Amino acid sequence: MSGAPPRAQDGRMSRYRIGERVLQLTLPVGTLAVGVVIWEAIVLLGDLPPYVLPAPTRVAATLISDWPVLWGSLLVTLGTTFLGLLLAFVGGTALAILFNQSRLVERALYPYAVILQVTPVVAIAPLLLVYLPQPVAVLACAWIVAFFPVLANTTLGLNSVDRNLVDLFTLYRASRLQALLRLKLPAALPYMLGGLRIAGGLSLIGAVVAEIAAGSAGAGSGLAYRIAESGYRLNIPRMFAALILLSGAGIAIFAALSLLSHLVLRRWHESALAREP
Amino acid sequence: MIGSLPLVGLRDIAMTFANGTRALTGFDLEVRGGEFVALLGPSGCGKSTALRLIAGLASPTGGTIAWTTIGEPQAGPPGPNIGFVFQEPTLMPWATVAGNVALPLRLTGMGRYEAALRVAGLIERVGLGAFADAFPRELSGGMKMRVSIARALATDPDILLMDEPFAALDEITRFKLNNDLAELWRALGKTVVFVTHSVFESVYLAERIVVMTPRPGRVFAELAVEAPYPRGERFRTSSDYVGTCRKVADVLAAATAGGAQA
């Protein structure tokens, strides 16, 4: 019997939360619906041709009719993005660990990591395309932009270990490897995942920029290449359709990495705690 | 019984930090095996620094620290076997209670299963048997401190160094932990050096109270607390306790005034 009242209260609480959730979802979706309707109305009332502004229904139709082409391109772009992200994560984390272990290496290399980051990737892409085969150049661009947030965040994380815990490890004469594996890396994990979340979006941007730069010169088949190609052909509905897919891919990457971060940290880290109402 | 043998001796210790702050000058302290010593002094008098020096977490700028080896000399890793309890619980948030307590054992190369056996007993000992798989954020302040104490005991240390471990806790929790610590000390026969700025805490816990002057810290006086153990709640309200507290408080006041003039 004693268990019943709290459960009832829980039920009420979760119903309140569900209401909140529904509102959180319906509001942006509603905004989108209103926007789409207005867009459709403008095209209809102004009698605009599709090569000036295609109606949303026309874009949707193109998305369906051109699906085989667009789907293949999406896979190419996503493949580049994920590979770039993976390499950036591995490379960024490895370099951050190296920096953490050796001040000398950090002093020698860190400025160049910064230079790589602050130089606009749009400007680097054409050069890379000169020297590298196109798929490799695109991958390199995705890697360059995704690399730095991983490096910077992991470095920050490795350096923000609780001083007392460091003392504790000293007290028990822990080796450098033990301190790294049991103390520094776990402490840095929330930072690394934060860096990865930023890097995911940037990797997509890097891949897109390189594909655009390659443009008609390349034999590429990524989504951004489709956009460029459709632009030359004044196939505006397909440009919109590809853009929607790119945007969706970006959202999906961000959501997936957020979920990953939540799953890894949910048992112990403040960022993953549900706040009590 | 090793009770009367000196375990560690600090002679004429001086500690000056890189920024020129003189934390300790002419600091002498001898800790005997099995005793409970309280280091009492105002905030910033170098008590914590003295404790860190004993732990080997810092090296003094002057003087010597000498350990008496107990039993087989040079067995196991070099240096004394020390347990340290910090002001904060200092737990790894990503590890469970059991994982935190097992840390010292795992760092010394003990296998997972052997460590788990030892750890289960320790967690039981500090009264957290039901929380072995809980994460630190799920525990109260007092419980976290218990985990910290269990971890300090994990390697069965020769000496337990405690740096104002209960200062941040509420009074009810602090009293409870004081009782349990005294009980643990009697049961295990460990040497304890306990840093505190609370006269009441030092008198309740310690056999011997070392009163320090303000910075730069040195020993002003040593007082023995004769009351027998177990002291318990009755001792806390006895006239004997109140009288000793008044005496210690007077000495502390004199130490603080003397330091201020110097």
Side-chain angles (χ1 to χ4, degrees):
Chain A
M1 272 326 279
S2 62
R7 206 173 301 147
Q9 208 170 7
D10 273 11
R12 228 171 289 144
M13 204 118 65
S14 67
R15 224 171 295 147
Y16 165 77
R17 268 192 208 154
I18 288 169
E20 184 109 302
R21 260 276 163 74
V22 167
L23 203 67
Q24 228 171 40
L25 275 172
T26 48
L27 270 180
V29 170
T31 317
L32 181 70
V34 170
V36 168
V37 166
I38 292 174
W39 177 2
E40 184 84 38
I42 288 173
V43 175
L44 270 180
L45 295 175
D47 199 17
L48 298 172
Y51 55 84
V52 175
L53 181 68
T57 44
R58 180 68 181 263
V59 173
T62 309
L63 199 56
I64 294 163
S65 64
D66 292 0
W67 185 252
V69 179
L70 291 174
W71 175 246
S73 299
L74 176 66
L75 287 186
V76 169
T77 302
L78 279 182
T80 312
T81 302
F82 277 119
L83 195 56
L85 183 61
L86 184 72
L87 292 177
F89 184 69
V90 172
T93 306
L95 198 58
I97 290 171
L98 194 65
F99 283 1
N100 186 259
Q101 297 295 311
S102 162
R103 265 281 141 79
L104 223 62
V105 175
E106 183 177 3
R107 293 250 166 86
L109 292 184
Y110 197 78
Y112 298 101
V114 174
I115 288 171
L116 209 57
Q117 161 73 9
V118 297
T119 311
V121 73
V122 197
I124 308 175
L127 258 183
L128 286 175
L129 283 158
V130 169
Y131 294 111
L132 298 171
Q134 202 214 322
V136 182
V138 174
L139 183 62
C141 282
W143 177 81
I144 285 173
V145 286
F147 170 79
F148 192 76
V150 175
L151 172 69
N153 270 32
T154 306
T155 303
L156 180 66
L158 290 172
N159 290 332
S160 47
V161 176
D162 182 341
R163 288 282 182 92
N164 283 339
L165 275 174
V166 174
D167 279 346
L168 195 75
F169 274 65
T170 310
L171 191 70
Y172 292 114
R173 303 177 189 89
S175 66
R176 287 177 87 155
L177 186 65
Q178 281 178 322
L180 179 68
L181 294 180
R182 288 179 176 276
L183 178 60
K184 287 180 173 176
L185 280 178
L189 193 59
Y191 296 84
M192 288 160 71
L193 289 166
L196 192 63
R197 212 155 32 163
I198 301 168
L202 286 178
S203 180
L204 181 65
I205 291 175
V208 164
V209 163
E211 280 179 15
I212 297 267
S216 55
S221 52
L223 265 184
Y225 169 75
R226 288 285 164 231
I227 291 180
E229 179 203 46
S230 308
Y232 297 135
R233 296 181 183 177
L234 278 183
N235 189 348
I236 311 297
R238 190 190 268 187
M239 287 179 88
F240 271 101
L243 188 60
I244 287 169
L245 275 184
L246 265 183
S247 178
I251 294 169
I253 290 169
F254 183 80
L257 292 174
S258 300
L259 182 70
L260 175 75
S261 171
H262 177 79
L263 290 178
V264 172
L265 301 178
R266 67 184 158 160
R267 298 236 32 206
W268 63 273
H269 199 253
E270 296 292 338
S271 69
L273 291 188
R275 218 167 297 156
E276 293 300 319
Chain B
M1 187 67 193
I2 53 162
S4 52
L5 286 175
L7 177 62
V8 58
L10 287 78
R11 305 257 174 286
D12 197 26
I13 294 292
M15 185 64 184
T16 307
F17 291 114
N19 63 9
T21 306
R22 285 161 58 202
L24 297 168
T25 47
F27 181 82
D28 291 290
L29 178 72
E30 188 172 87
V31 181
R32 290 182 288 276
E35 75 169 335
F36 198 126
V37 191
L39 276 184
L40 176 68
S43 292
C45 74
K47 314 182 286 280
S48 299
T49 305
L51 211 60
R52 289 176 60 82
L53 292 177
I54 298 175
L57 291 173
S59 299
T61 44
T64 55
I65 299 175
W67 289 86
T68 313
T69 350
I70 305 169
E72 294 292 309
Q74 265 86 53
N81 187 351
I82 292 168
F84 201 104
V85 180
F86 296 89
Q87 278 178 39
E88 295 85 35
T90 313
L91 303 176
M92 303 180 292
W94 55 86
T96 60
V97 167
N100 269 291
V101 177
L103 176 74
L105 300 174
R106 304 284 287 136
L107 286 180
T108 52
M110 186 183 280
R112 190 182 297 266
Y113 296 103
E114 197 186 347
L117 279 178
R118 281 274 284 279
V119 163
L122 283 163
I123 294 173
E124 202 68 53
R125 178 124 231 169
V126 296
L128 290 176
F131 295 91
D133 295 323
F135 281 81
R137 70 167 175 86
E138 298 164 334
L139 306 178
S140 68
M143 289 159 91
K144 282 184 204 165
M145 208 29 106
R146 284 172 190 276
V147 178
S148 192
I149 292 171
R151 177 180 62 193
L153 291 170
T155 54
D156 194 19
D158 302 323
I159 190 167
L160 192 56
L161 305 175
M162 306 182 85
D163 188 4
E164 301 192 41
F166 309 142
L169 302 175
D170 62 88
E171 198 168 74
I172 299 168
T173 311
R174 188 162 61 227
F175 281 0
K176 182 82 175 72
L177 277 164
N178 279 342
N179 291 343
D180 293 355
L181 176 63
E183 203 49 52
L184 214 56
W185 169 68
R186 271 166 36 85
L188 300 177
K190 298 279 176 222
T191 311
V192 179
V193 180
F194 189 99
V195 163
T196 180
H197 58 244
S198 160
V199 169
F200 303 106
E201 195 169 53
S202 65
V203 172
Y204 184 74
L205 286 170
E207 291 179 288
R208 188 156 67 95
I209 299 172
V210 175
V211 181
M212 292 176 64
T213 62
R215 183 176 290 163
R218 55 185 176 76
V219 176
F220 181 77
E222 289 195 14
L223 298 103
V225 183
E226 307 286 358
Y229 295 88
R231 289 176 176 169
E233 283 306 325
R234 187 169 293 176
F235 176 62
R236 221 186 264 286
T237 49
S238 69
S239 57
D240 192 13
Y241 177 67
V242 176
T244 313
C245 284
R246 184 175 302 147
K247 200 167 77 187
V248 173
D250 286 345
V251 173
L252 181 62
T256 311
Q261 280 162 16

